[in-house]
């Protein structure tokens, strides 16, 4: 059986998620539920979090009852770049390696611009399988605020039922496929350097690793001049791409990953 997967951050949407499945049918849908730890009962975001949770619950129930596709709810951080990238990498790599998915669609119309950026970047590493789409909406709940015929309570009820957008007729939503372009391929040695530096620093962008220790971690003789020249050349190229920082301490060179290098190293950990 062909395995068609969709990834949809839910946010404050209901119809828009369902419309995404109409345009891109799937048999598995990951509903990404935004996670935020509440510090106390008076947290100003508490009410909005509860509303978002209701949308996830309603969508899960809808897909379970309709048998359109199997919903999988994942609670994750959707407001920080690296957690978004890691969650997408985790889902996509699992679908490819364990379930041999035939196609993976990501709905980028139901979350933040940060999520869109993350999805496009991650998708560029698996552009043959991963596709993006945007559901363009015509009817927004907020627009009803400007209608003298609609009361605030009615608008509130509509928002709690449908979210930011709603389906009024067949023309309410239109699908827009978003192209994903392949990323530039690095050599295996450059990939290994980035992945190894990320592992050695545990994501700490401030920690510096000596050249000798890096070579040892890569499984090479740190005193071999040929190896040192070879990897020195690769590091120089990665520095030029702003993936690596370099500092000199006495006669020793030390390296760390830039923010860009950390993100690339993270993706390569899954797809490299």
């Amino acid at each position: 059986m062909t395995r068609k997967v969709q990834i949809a951050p839910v946010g404050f949407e209901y119809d828009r998620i369902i419309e995404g499945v109409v345009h891109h049918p799937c048999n598995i849908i990951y509903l990404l539920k935004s996670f935020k730890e509440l510090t106390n009962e008076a947290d100003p975001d508490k009410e909005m979090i509860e509303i978002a949770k209701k949308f996830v619950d309603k969508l899960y129930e809808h897909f379970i009852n309709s048998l359109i596709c199997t919903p999988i709810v994942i609670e994750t951080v959707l407001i920080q770049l690296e957690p978004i990238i890691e969650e997408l990498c985790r889902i996509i790599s699992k679908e490819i390696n364990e379930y041999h998915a035939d196609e993976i669609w990501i709905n980028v119309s139901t979350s933040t611009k940060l999520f869109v950026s993350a999805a496009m970047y991650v998708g560029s590493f698996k552009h043959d399988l991963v596709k993006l789409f945007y559901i363009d909406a015509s009817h927004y709940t907020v627009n009803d605020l400007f209608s003298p015929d609609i009361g605030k309570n009615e608008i509130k009820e509509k928002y709690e039922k449908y979210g930011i957008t709603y389906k009024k007729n067949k023309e309410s939503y239109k699908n827009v496929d978003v192209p994903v372009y392949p990323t530039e391929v690095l050599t295996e040695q450059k990939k290994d350097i980035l992945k190894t530096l990320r592992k050695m620093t545990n994501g700490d962008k401030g920690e510096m690793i000596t050249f000798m220790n890096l070579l040892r971690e890569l499984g090479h003789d740190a005193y071999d001049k040929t190896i040192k020249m070879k990897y020195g050349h690769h590091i120089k190229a990665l520095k030029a791409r702003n993936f690596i920082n370099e500092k000199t301490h006495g006669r020793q060179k030390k390296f760390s990953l830039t923010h860009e290098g950390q993100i690339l190293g993270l993706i390569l950990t899954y797809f490299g």
Side-chain angles (χ1 to χ4, degrees):
M1 179 180 176
T2 301
R3 188 175 176 93
K4 297 183 177 182
V5 177
Q6 193 173 129
I7 302 170
V10 176
F12 302 100
E13 298 279 6
Y14 181 74
D15 283 344
R16 217 174 195 176
I17 301 288
I18 295 171
E19 197 70 18
V21 176
V22 170
H23 285 280
H24 298 283
C26 60
N27 39 40
I28 301 291
I29 184 167
Y30 287 87
L31 301 173
L32 302 188
K33 176 183 177 182
S34 184
F35 169 78
K36 181 190 175 185
E37 187 174 354
L38 295 175
T39 54
N40 54 66
E41 286 296 313
D43 192 306
D45 292 329
K46 184 175 185 296
E47 186 176 359
M48 298 302 285
I49 289 171
E50 287 300 314
I51 293 173
K53 179 181 179 299
K54 287 177 183 177
F55 285 126
V56 174
D57 293 343
K58 280 173 59 179
L59 285 163
Y60 181 85
E61 186 177 349
H62 168 77
F63 290 123
I64 286 291
N65 292 335
S66 64
L67 303 178
I68 294 171
C69 56
T70 301
I72 300 172
V73 176
I74 293 182
E75 191 173 61
T76 188
V77 177
L78 292 175
I79 56 173
Q80 296 173 21
L81 183 61
E82 289 184 46
I84 296 172
I85 287 175
E86 183 151 26
E87 192 64 70
L88 288 172
C89 287
R90 189 181 294 119
I91 293 170
I92 292 167
S93 64
K94 185 175 183 178
E95 281 296 331
I96 292 173
N97 298 323
E98 292 186 27
Y99 301 117
H100 310 292
D102 296 280
E103 59 183 59
I104 301 172
W105 288 89
I106 304 178
N107 187 338
V108 296
S109 57
T110 57
S111 190
T112 64
K113 294 180 178 66
L114 194 63
F115 182 91
V116 178
S117 300
M120 292 188 75
Y121 193 39
V122 171
S124 70
F125 286 81
K126 290 293 177 182
H127 63 96
D128 54 333
L129 282 177
V130 178
K131 311 296 179 185
L132 276 56
F133 70 92
Y134 179 87
I135 299 297
D136 188 26
S138 300
H139 300 95
Y140 287 81
T141 312
V142 68
N143 291 348
D144 292 346
L145 289 170
F146 302 98
S147 173
D149 302 323
I150 305 177
K152 287 187 177 179
N153 286 336
E154 186 179 344
I155 296 171
K156 181 175 181 290
E157 289 174 5
K158 184 181 287 186
Y159 184 85
E160 289 177 345
K161 186 175 182 180
Y162 301 112
I164 295 172
T165 68
Y166 59 93
K167 187 170 185 176
K168 190 174 181 179
N169 52 51
K170 290 182 179 180
E171 304 301 318
S172 296
Y173 293 109
K174 293 180 182 178
N175 175 73
V176 180
D177 288 348
V178 180
V180 176
Y181 299 101
T183 190
E184 183 181 345
V185 178
L186 296 175
T187 63
E188 292 303 315
Q189 290 87 355
K190 290 183 179 67
K191 290 179 183 179
D192 288 341
I193 290 169
L194 292 172
K195 289 187 290 185
T196 302
L197 276 175
R198 182 176 182 273
K199 181 179 71 174
M200 293 180 77
T201 58
N202 283 321
D204 182 356
K205 293 186 281 293
E207 186 177 353
M208 305 292 288
I209 305 298
T210 66
F211 187 35
M212 302 290 274
N213 284 340
L214 174 61
L215 291 177
R216 291 189 187 99
E217 189 67 25
L218 286 164
H220 297 295
D221 179 357
Y223 295 97
D224 187 315
K225 291 183 179 180
T226 302
I227 291 293
K228 290 169 76 173
M229 284 184 62
K230 177 182 176 181
Y231 278 88
H233 174 75
H234 291 310
I235 287 173
K236 183 178 180 181
L238 291 170
K239 278 175 54 188
R241 299 277 301 275
N242 197 38
F243 294 140
I244 286 181
N245 291 317
E246 177 184 322
K247 286 185 180 179
T248 302
H249 292 263
R251 298 180 63 182
Q252 277 199 332
K253 289 184 177 181
K254 290 188 173 183
F255 303 99
S256 66
L257 294 176
T258 63
H259 187 223
E260 292 90 335
Q262 284 283 350
I263 291 174
L264 181 53
L266 167 61
I267 296 174
L268 290 174
T269 300
Y270 287 90
F271 299 146

